[in-house]
Amino acid sequence: MIRGVIIMNDQGKPRLVKFYEFQPVEKQQELIRSIYKILCSRADNVSNFVKVDSLFGPDVRLVYKTFATLYFVFIFDNSENELAMLDLMQVFVETLDKCFSNVCELDIVFNFNKVHTILDEIILGGQVLETSSSEVMKAVDEISKLERSGNSIIPSIPGWQGR
Amino acid sequence: MMDSFFQRSLEDIIKGLRLCPPGTEPTFIAKSLDDIRREIKSSDRSTKATALQKLTYLHSIHGVDMSWAAFHSVELASSSTHSHKRIAFLSASLSFNPSSTDVILLLTHQLRKDLSSSNAHDVSLALSTLSSICNPDLCRDLTPELFTLLGSSKFFVRKKAIAVVLRVFEEYPDAVRVCFKRIVENLETSDMGILSAVVELLCELTVKEPRSYLPLAPEFYKILVDSRNNWVLIKVLKIFAKLIPLEPRLGKRVVEPICEHLRRMGAKSLAFECVRMIVTSLSEHESALRLAVGTVREFLLDDDPNLKYLGLQALAIVAQKHMWAVLENKELVVKALSDVDPNIKLEALRLVMSTVSADNVMDICTILISHALKSDPEFCNEILGCIFLTCSRNFYEVIFDFEWYVSFLGEMARIPYCQKGTEIETQLVDIGMRVKDARLELVSVARDLVIDPALLGNPFVHGVLAAAAWISGEYVNLSRNPFELMEALLQPRTSLLTPSVRSVYIQSAFKVLMFCIYSYVKLDGDDTSYPSGLTESVSERDLGRSFATVGSESLSDSELDNENVVITGGQPPSFSSRKQHLTEESIMGLINLAETNLGPLSGSDEVEIQDRASNVLGFIKLVKPKLHGCLDQSRGDIMKDELKAPEMIKLIYDLFSEELGPVSLNAQERVPLPDGLALKENLGDLEAICGDVEFSLPMSFSLVKPQMAAQDSAHVLECPSKEVCEPSSESTSLLAEHRKRHGLYYLPPEDKEVVDKDYQPTREPKGKAIDATEDLVKLTEPFFVKKKSNRVKPRPVVVKLDDVEEANVLVEKHEFKPDLLSGAVQEVLLGNEATASSSRKSSNKSNNDITNTAESSQASFVGSGRRKHHTHGKGRTNRTSGKEKEERSHKDEHKRDSRDHKHKSRQRAEGTLNVDVQSSVIPDFLL
């Protein structure tokens, strides 16, 4: 099972925090700080897995990947395959990239809800739902359409483009 | 409207936060929160939605508390606008605590409505919210809707429903009875998304409690053979990894398909999962293991550090049973030791240590140490820790050449940033006590350490120095030059040591001094050989010997004999040097050295140091005048009184000559309780008595050992008297008594023999020792890298205490606790057995074999299941009502009643029809 997904930037600022088991918000912030401490001490071109028994209990692992200024972090237990998690992260990033055409940190900062929507289409309750980014895109587009149609007063926040 | 017109959007907040000068962020957030608190109460849905959206953002990213806004989320969730609903449900899933947010139950109706909605995205939103916030009540109330969705024709919805089921089962196990059959049916689907979701769900369930899912093995096998989807295959492999330990016959079935997948070499993730599967569960299949190890090698050769890391991990699993796999890849593993990645380095180190055997331990340690010296301090200490741990494993199992290991330990202590002083300290002392043959080398290593003034300045090695000092004192009889030891132990720089270490130094100096004086007096006595003195001393020695034999501990005549050998020419060089040293002047010099150095310490403010220094000084005061007498005696001036000087010295020397051995961890437990000592009695009621008669308490204690107490007091009284010899002989007898007690108490009768044997020198029980080594050789043979034939020396005996070993071995008990969930699953699976297996028979004819195996295993289940059905016809109802009793505590009466009703009607249906049939179970439930 996937325990959590975190996106944070290279200064340790969280951009997306999603835990699939309830964590009090103070605990979340503490975990993010500890994870950042581990990640920023690691050199480039080293393996992407970190053992985080001390933070999450036995058998829990963390896989991370750096994309430009962002760390993408997946936390999962031993019923997931490590390399498959890396693939899934790739799917997530690909989808973000398609959605925001050339995704950058600011897109994720300004599209809080949409990033959550995308993630919810990929992972539900800690289980992998969809591994094809085009399928995810299809669903997300439909949802955006739905949001726009039923809402004339508040326009749904468009993809942040005017960088 | 005006509100919403001037309201700041989430984007404004984010921009504002980004423009905030550093440090003013909290103020900005506080101000925004004030706005949000106002806006969120608005009757206008859009205003409310935006406020909630901002709040959710601040909560999730900036850690702002939003538990106060839970009700607003619930309110907004009922909006008909999808975007509002989405904001509301997102805030709920990010902030609600399933166990403590009480407004969750207010969402039940809304969720039910959305789950039955015709809009797939409404349904999917409700499902993902449900998975985040579900608690038992919510699950119970929404199970019927979930059941319907499990059969939904929209695959998009159905797979999400399947994913949610895991949470629902965890919270509300009774849902299994309703939903599980449909989930199993979904295994037959052709849609990859749904199949993947089902397999994933079953994988999670299997990990928790594998046994219940054995009956599904044929289905899993079919997927394993037919599917080409990596995600599905990985999960199926994970499931089989859990099932095979329970049903070993499955292993033979699946090994071929798994090898097929591995040979196909598709995705690395699948390949790795196959490897992991083979090395953990199928390692007895030789060809499969070969294949897996081959793949691991490819991983190790790959440039991707992730593959390298995982490859090493897989190799570590193989290494437990098949060392050859590591040896084949030895050069790659050693290369990984110098990788840039700390993960890979550590993994490689662990792997290298797992290959250590008696024959390669020296080579490996040498390689590792040369590597450690080149790497950073952190990894260096990691290496040292690993080496010490491995070498000391199971009473130094892998060490044959203790001389090498002891000097190795000594060298390690000198590595500047070595932080493993504690380990070295413990092991030096431990080897001293356990391995008699290593003591000579140990003493020379200890000498080198103690004598080096540079080491005293490094606080990290103080522990090691304490051990070295202790060894120098305890085994001083093996030392080549006690005089230089004495100088080293008393050197002025010892003031740099911590008090606890320094007191060890002083005590060791005491032992060395004692030894020198004793050797001198004895040598002297032997040379002059005065008949009277000799006979007396011999008789005295016999007495001591008899005490020793009664005590059956090793005061060891052999020890004394060894002593003679050493002194009188066993080792010519040391003998001559010592003889040269043992002159009156040198002894007096030694005594004066001790006096001048320890004199000031008798006024030390550290009690331990003061105490020990006073001991030595007191001894010197006692001995010094007598020594003169002794010297007179050697000149031929025989006076009977002065004969007592050597006697006294000998007696005190004997005090120290008893060998210290390892003490078993649970020695205390083996001390039999003396009669009349009630340790476990509750002393609570004693208080009443003691309160009245306080003085009776000490009396009752003194009753336990009246003689001892009397003797003790006599001893204390007589001590100051001039008759020095008398009380000391008495103390010797006390000591002997004490030893006797040690012999009886510290070790159990059956152990005593073993210990006695172990304490004998190795040369005597030669046959036995060789046998033991041969056994060891046989045991370790398969792991040898290269066989060394030139092992002439048998391995020294390492003293072990049986019970320590027992205590160290943790017996892991596998406990099978059937929980509610697995119970329900078994019930459903077994209940459905007839339909399921019949459909399988028709569909899986090609897989007859596997079906048979599985069915035989299933049959046993079914058998027990049926028995349960027949004999416990009423037992079931009882069990369920018991379960309800548990739940009663947190359920309101009304709901329970209606649920009771549902339950009973369903059970009736199940009871009568037993197997089958959806149509009869579901309508009942949906009432």
Side-chain angles (χ1 to χ4, degrees):
Chain A
M1 199 175 99
I2 299 167
R3 302 284 183 90
V5 174
I6 298 171
I7 305 177
M8 62 173 109
N9 73 357
D10 49 12
Q11 261 114 63
K13 280 195 177 161
R15 296 308 185 195
L16 169 93
V17 184
K18 176 83 185 176
F19 285 99
Y20 290 97
E21 270 158 357
F22 179 78
Q23 303 273 8
V25 72
E26 304 79 30
K27 174 90 176 156
Q28 290 186 10
Q29 299 283 322
E30 190 191 312
L31 286 171
I32 291 166
R33 273 193 298 273
S34 339
I35 292 173
Y36 175 69
K37 218 184 275 172
I38 298 172
L39 295 191
C40 66
S41 70
R42 290 177 66 83
D44 295 343
N45 305 323
V46 297
S47 62
N48 298 99
F49 306 111
V50 181
K51 277 194 177 160
V52 281
D53 308 27
S54 53
L55 297 178
F56 294 94
D59 294 332
V60 177
R61 290 171 166 226
L62 180 154
V63 59
Y64 73 98
K65 214 164 176 182
T66 337
F67 292 92
T69 54
L70 290 175
Y71 287 119
F72 280 69
V73 178
F74 278 34
I75 301 149
F76 57 95
D77 62 22
N78 58 3
S79 53
E80 299 294 339
N81 179 292
E82 292 84 345
L83 296 168
M85 285 298 107
L86 269 177
D87 290 348
L88 191 68
M89 190 181 287
Q90 195 61 40
V91 171
F92 185 35
V93 176
E94 251 171 49
T95 317
L96 288 174
D97 203 46
K98 278 185 194 163
C99 201
F100 300 109
S101 49
N102 275 330
V103 67
C104 74
E105 188 179 346
L106 282 179
D107 293 318
I108 292 166
V109 171
F110 281 97
N111 293 280
F112 176 72
N113 290 50
K114 192 155 191 180
V115 175
H116 268 287
T117 306
I118 294 170
L119 185 62
D120 281 353
E121 291 301 319
I122 299 176
I123 304 170
L124 193 150
Q127 299 194 69
V128 183
L129 268 188
E130 184 57 71
T131 53
S132 139
S133 62
S134 52
E135 285 295 314
V136 178
M137 272 305 291
K138 219 170 80 190
V140 172
D141 283 345
E142 279 175 33
I143 292 169
S144 308
K145 226 175 277 167
L146 202 60
E147 281 182 325
R148 268 196 295 276
S149 68
N151 193 341
S152 51
I153 301 165
I154 293 190
S156 74
I157 295 154
W160 196 88
Q161 274 135 8
R163 255 174 278 146
Chain B
M1 270 325 257
M2 285 308 278
D3 260 359
S4 84
F5 191 73
F6 290 111
Q7 190 183 19
R8 290 202 287 179
S9 68
L10 174 60
E11 203 174 329
D12 295 334
I13 294 265
I14 296 171
K15 276 182 182 159
L17 274 169
R18 289 173 68 81
L19 292 174
C20 257
T24 59
E25 223 174 57
T27 344
F28 185 86
I29 290 177
K31 206 172 147 288
S32 311
L33 270 178
D34 287 344
D35 292 345
I36 289 169
R37 274 175 203 277
R38 204 185 57 244
E39 291 159 10
I40 209 167
K41 289 184 197 125
S42 162
S43 57
D44 177 47
R45 290 256 157 134
S46 306
T47 314
K48 201 184 192 64
T50 308
L52 192 61
Q53 189 186 26
K54 291 191 285 185
L55 185 59
T56 311
Y57 174 83
L58 291 176
H59 168 80
S60 180
I61 302 296
H62 294 275
V64 170
D65 171 58
M66 68 173 288
S67 54
W68 55 272
F71 185 71
H72 296 291
S73 307
V74 174
E75 242 183 354
L76 193 66
S78 62
S79 166
S80 55
T81 318
H82 186 80
S83 61
H84 292 170
K85 204 191 281 290
R86 193 162 273 278
I87 288 171
F89 277 137
L90 178 65
S91 74
S93 57
L94 288 181
S95 72
F96 283 13
N97 180 349
S99 55
S100 70
T101 306
D102 40 12
V103 296
I104 287 181
L105 283 187
L106 298 179
L107 270 178
T108 315
H109 178 67
Q110 185 59 43
L111 282 171
R112 184 178 290 141
K113 223 173 105 188
D114 285 334
L115 287 175
S116 328
S117 160
S118 59
N119 183 332
H121 290 291
D122 278 347
V123 182
S124 108
L125 184 58
L127 282 171
S128 74
T129 312
L130 179 61
S131 81
S132 313
I133 65 170
C134 63
N135 59 21
D137 290 320
L138 203 58
C139 292
R140 184 198 56 216
D141 295 340
L142 295 177
T143 301
E145 279 74 24
L146 198 59
F147 174 78
T148 318
L149 289 175
L150 287 174
S152 166
S153 58
K154 292 172 188 153
F155 289 168
F156 173 74
V157 169
R158 204 201 288 181
K159 80 182 174 194
K160 289 197 173 185
I162 293 169
V164 172
V165 161
L166 175 65
R167 285 298 159 92
V168 174
F169 280 6
E170 275 169 10
E171 296 292 331
Y172 177 64
D174 276 354
V176 170
R177 295 204 172 77
V178 186
C179 301
F180 198 75
K181 194 164 180 291
R182 275 218 167 156
I183 291 167
V184 174
E185 281 166 4
N186 274 316
L187 278 173
E188 309 277 331
T189 180
S190 57
D191 182 83
M192 248 335 132
I194 288 177
L195 183 63
S196 167
V198 178
V199 172
E200 212 170 323
L201 166 69
L202 289 171
C203 172
E204 293 291 341
L205 292 170
T206 312
V207 166
K208 292 199 180 77
E209 204 287 290
R211 193 165 289 278
S212 310
Y213 305 93
L214 265 178
L216 289 174
E219 274 83 0
F220 294 140
Y221 179 79
K222 196 160 167 278
I223 296 169
L224 180 70
V225 175
D226 294 345
S227 181
R228 286 291 170 272
N229 180 309
N230 293 331
W231 292 87
V232 173
L233 286 172
I234 286 172
K235 292 290 175 175
V236 170
L237 285 173
K238 295 250 183 216
I239 293 174
F240 273 117
K242 292 288 169 189
L243 295 184
I244 286 173
L246 300 173
E247 179 54 86
R249 281 174 298 179
L250 274 177
K252 288 193 204 102
R253 280 282 143 201
V254 297
V255 66
E256 217 13 73
I258 290 175
C259 289
E260 265 310 300
H261 287 301
L262 196 50
R263 278 186 212 109
R264 208 171 289 124
M265 257 332 235
K268 289 276 191 289
S269 51
L270 179 59
F272 178 63
E273 201 56 50
C274 290
V275 167
R276 179 152 56 194
M277 173 80 184
I278 291 172
V279 297
T280 44
S281 311
L282 303 168
S283 60
E284 68 276 17
H285 298 270
E286 182 69 26
S287 61
L289 192 62
R290 286 258 163 223
L291 190 63
V293 172
T295 314
V296 167
R297 192 176 167 84
E298 281 171 38
F299 278 18
L300 292 180
L301 286 167
D302 203 290
D303 286 335
D304 184 352
N306 288 328
L307 292 184
K308 220 179 269 180
Y309 173 64
L310 294 175
L312 288 171
Q313 278 194 333
L315 213 49
I317 304 174
V318 196
Q320 294 162 8
K321 285 184 197 156
H322 303 271
M323 192 53 72
W324 57 264
V326 186
L327 299 177
E328 268 181 18
N329 298 297
K330 205 172 95 185
E331 76 289 2
L332 291 174
V333 175
V334 172
K335 211 177 108 203
L337 271 180
S338 35
D339 203 279
V340 282
D341 189 339
N343 282 352
I344 293 180
K345 278 202 286 191
L346 266 185
E347 211 58 51
L349 174 62
R350 259 178 232 137
L351 204 49
V352 169
M353 290 328 284
S354 72
T355 64
V356 166
S357 72
D359 266 325
N360 58 21
V361 62
M362 288 160 82
D363 298 339
I364 288 184
C365 287
T366 324
I367 294 170
L368 281 182
I369 285 304
S370 66
H371 192 81
L373 293 174
K374 278 182 281 177
S375 44
D376 54 314
E378 195 188 344
F379 190 57
C380 171
N381 278 310
E382 200 74 53
I383 291 181
L384 289 179
C386 261
I387 292 180
F388 295 147
L389 193 70
T390 311
C391 289
S392 65
R393 194 176 51 203
N394 205 2
F395 302 103
Y396 311 96
E397 190 179 47
V398 294
I399 306 291
F400 272 72
D401 188 347
F402 276 94
E403 283 168 20
W404 164 78
Y405 186 56
V406 164
S407 56
F408 174 77
L409 283 176
E411 279 167 42
M412 291 310 101
R414 291 165 187 273
I415 294 181
Y417 36 78
C418 164
Q419 284 165 14
K420 299 283 169 189
T422 336
E423 279 86 346
I424 301 180
E425 176 188 357
T426 331
Q427 291 195 12
L428 283 176
V429 173
D430 196 43
I431 292 175
M433 290 196 294
R434 288 183 194 276
V435 191
K436 205 170 173 185
D437 292 2
R439 283 179 195 162
L440 194 63
E441 178 64 20
L442 201 57
V443 165
S444 93
V445 167
R447 171 206 169 265
D448 293 346
L449 287 172
V450 171
I451 224 160
D452 187 349
L455 289 177
L456 288 166
N458 181 358
F460 283 126
V461 297
H462 280 184
V464 182
L465 288 180
W470 183 84
I471 288 164
S472 312
E474 186 61 26
Y475 307 116
V476 60
N477 52 333
L478 300 174
S479 162
R480 279 166 193 274
N481 187 347
F483 291 91
E484 65 175 12
L485 266 185
M486 193 69 183
E487 276 163 33
L489 288 171
L490 293 173
Q491 61 183 296
R493 269 175 73 90
T494 52
S495 59
L496 294 170
L497 295 168
T498 52
S500 59
V501 179
R502 202 163 185 203
S503 48
V504 177
Y505 264 64
I506 298 172
Q507 183 73 0
S508 300
F510 190 14
K511 289 178 187 170
V512 175
L513 181 65
M514 177 70 66
F515 174 77
C516 291
I517 296 177
Y518 175 69
S519 312
Y520 167 64
V521 171
K522 199 150 141 309
L523 193 70
D524 208 48
D526 283 351
D527 279 354
T528 49
S529 61
Y530 280 99
S532 59
L534 196 63
T535 47
E536 202 169 325
S537 89
V538 163
S539 70
E540 195 66 31
R541 194 186 299 169
D542 281 345
L543 197 63
R545 199 177 287 176
S546 69
F547 278 139
T549 26
V550 171
S552 82
E553 275 280 309
S554 44
L555 167 67
S556 68
D557 320 70
S558 60
E559 189 73 11
L560 284 174
D561 294 342
N562 275 348
E563 200 53 47
N564 284 330
V565 170
V566 172
I567 302 272
T568 53
Q571 285 174 328
S574 82
F575 162 67
S576 59
S577 71
R578 195 175 289 166
K579 183 147 191 197
Q580 278 166 12
H581 283 293
L582 285 175
T583 62
E584 184 189 349
E585 291 73 38
S586 64
I587 289 289
M588 288 319 284
L590 207 59
I591 289 175
N592 289 334
L593 177 76
E595 245 179 338
T596 37
N597 279 298
L598 294 178
L601 289 182
S602 63
S604 164
D605 54 353
E606 287 291 338
V607 278
E608 282 289 307
I609 295 179
Q610 188 190 5
D611 202 14
R612 279 155 211 246
S614 311
N615 277 349
V616 183
L617 292 172
F619 168 72
I620 290 175
K621 207 182 271 175
L622 212 63
V623 161
K624 218 172 167 182
K626 299 287 172 193
L627 267 182
H628 285 298
C630 178
L631 298 173
D632 291 345
Q633 180 193 50
S634 69
R635 279 183 214 115
D637 185 6
I638 311 158
M639 293 180 72
K640 229 193 171 187
D641 271 359
E642 277 149 5
L643 265 177
K644 282 171 192 160
E647 295 312 327
M648 184 193 70
I649 289 164
K650 188 194 158 326
L651 283 168
I652 300 180
Y653 175 75
D654 283 353
L655 263 177
F656 287 117
S657 65
E658 178 172 346
E659 191 165 330
L660 298 171
V663 178
S664 151
L665 277 181
N666 19 3
Q668 184 64 43
E669 283 167 26
R670 301 206 176 174
V671 178
L673 272 186
D675 290 341
L677 183 63
L679 282 179
K680 286 183 181 156
E681 214 161 85
N682 186 7
L683 295 177
D685 40 333
L686 252 181
E687 215 169 306
I689 309 165
C690 293
D692 292 345
V693 230
E694 273 176 57
F695 54 85
S696 72
L697 195 62
M699 260 175 70
S700 72
F701 277 131
S702 68
L703 279 176
V704 183
K705 295 262 176 252
Q707 283 181 322
M708 277 285 262
Q711 281 177 352
D712 266 338
S713 62
H715 174 70
V716 171
L717 282 175
E718 280 176 43
C719 228
S721 76
K722 276 222 164 179
E723 292 271 295
V724 194
C725 199
E726 282 302 312
S728 58
S729 81
E730 194 172 24
S731 72
T732 322
S733 73
L734 275 174
L735 179 73
E737 200 181 309
H738 182 66
R739 274 179 200 147
K740 184 169 155 193
R741 222 163 258 134
H742 276 231
L744 286 174
Y745 286 171
Y746 281 4
L747 303 162
E750 73 271 13
D751 244 33
K752 219 171 69 185
E753 290 176 10
V754 180
V755 172
D756 279 349
K757 258 184 236 158
D758 284 342
Y759 270 110
Q760 282 163 13
T762 347
R763 278 159 232 108
E764 284 171 37
K766 206 164 196 169
K768 189 185 155 251
I770 288 172
D771 278 353
T773 10
E774 272 171 2
D775 281 351
L776 270 172
V777 170
K778 255 178 243 158
L779 276 176
T780 49
E781 216 153 35
F783 307 131
F784 284 175
V785 192
K786 45 186 176 177
K787 187 114 174 89
K788 278 184 192 167
S789 51
N790 57 344
R791 184 182 292 149
V792 256
K793 265 197 309 186
R795 179 171 187 258
V797 175
V798 180
V799 179
K800 297 179 195 175
L801 301 168
D802 295 349
D803 50 348
V804 178
E805 226 165 345
E806 280 166 29
N808 283 347
V809 175
L810 285 173
V811 185
E812 268 182 41
K813 277 184 191 167
H814 179 69
E815 281 180 22
F816 174 60
K817 275 192 222 152
D819 56 354
L820 289 176
L821 183 58
S822 65
V825 170
Q826 282 188 4
E827 215 165 275
V828 173
L829 275 175
L830 302 175
N832 292 340
E833 174 268 337
T835 42
S837 69
S838 66
S839 72
R840 203 181 306 131
K841 262 173 207 155
S842 56
S843 63
N844 296 9
K845 266 184 186 143
S846 55
N847 287 333
N848 253 345
D849 287 5
I850 177 88
T851 319
N852 284 343
T853 20
E855 258 174 6
S856 66
S857 73
Q858 209 171 22
S860 64
F861 272 107
V862 172
S864 63
R866 280 208 184 121
R867 225 179 300 125
K868 214 190 278 168
H869 280 255
H870 290 307
T871 54
H872 298 265
K874 276 172 192 166
R876 281 188 78 172
T877 2
N878 288 344
R879 194 146 51 93
T880 333
S881 63
K883 214 179 284 169
E884 263 147 30
K885 234 178 264 167
E886 282 173 21
E887 284 162 7
R888 195 166 297 171
S889 54
H890 49 89
K891 282 191 185 128
D892 54 341
E893 291 278 308
H894 178 73
K895 273 178 186 159
R896 183 178 53 79
D897 282 348
S898 69
R899 194 167 146 277
D900 257 6
H901 175 70
K902 278 184 201 166
H903 241 286
K904 268 167 197 154
S905 57
R906 183 161 51 86
Q907 264 154 27
R908 224 175 296 130
E910 270 183 48
T912 47
L913 295 171
N914 195 6
V915 271
D916 224 51
V917 167
Q918 222 167 298
S919 52
S920 73
V921 180
I922 303 149
D924 260 347
F925 202 85
L926 291 178
L927 278 177

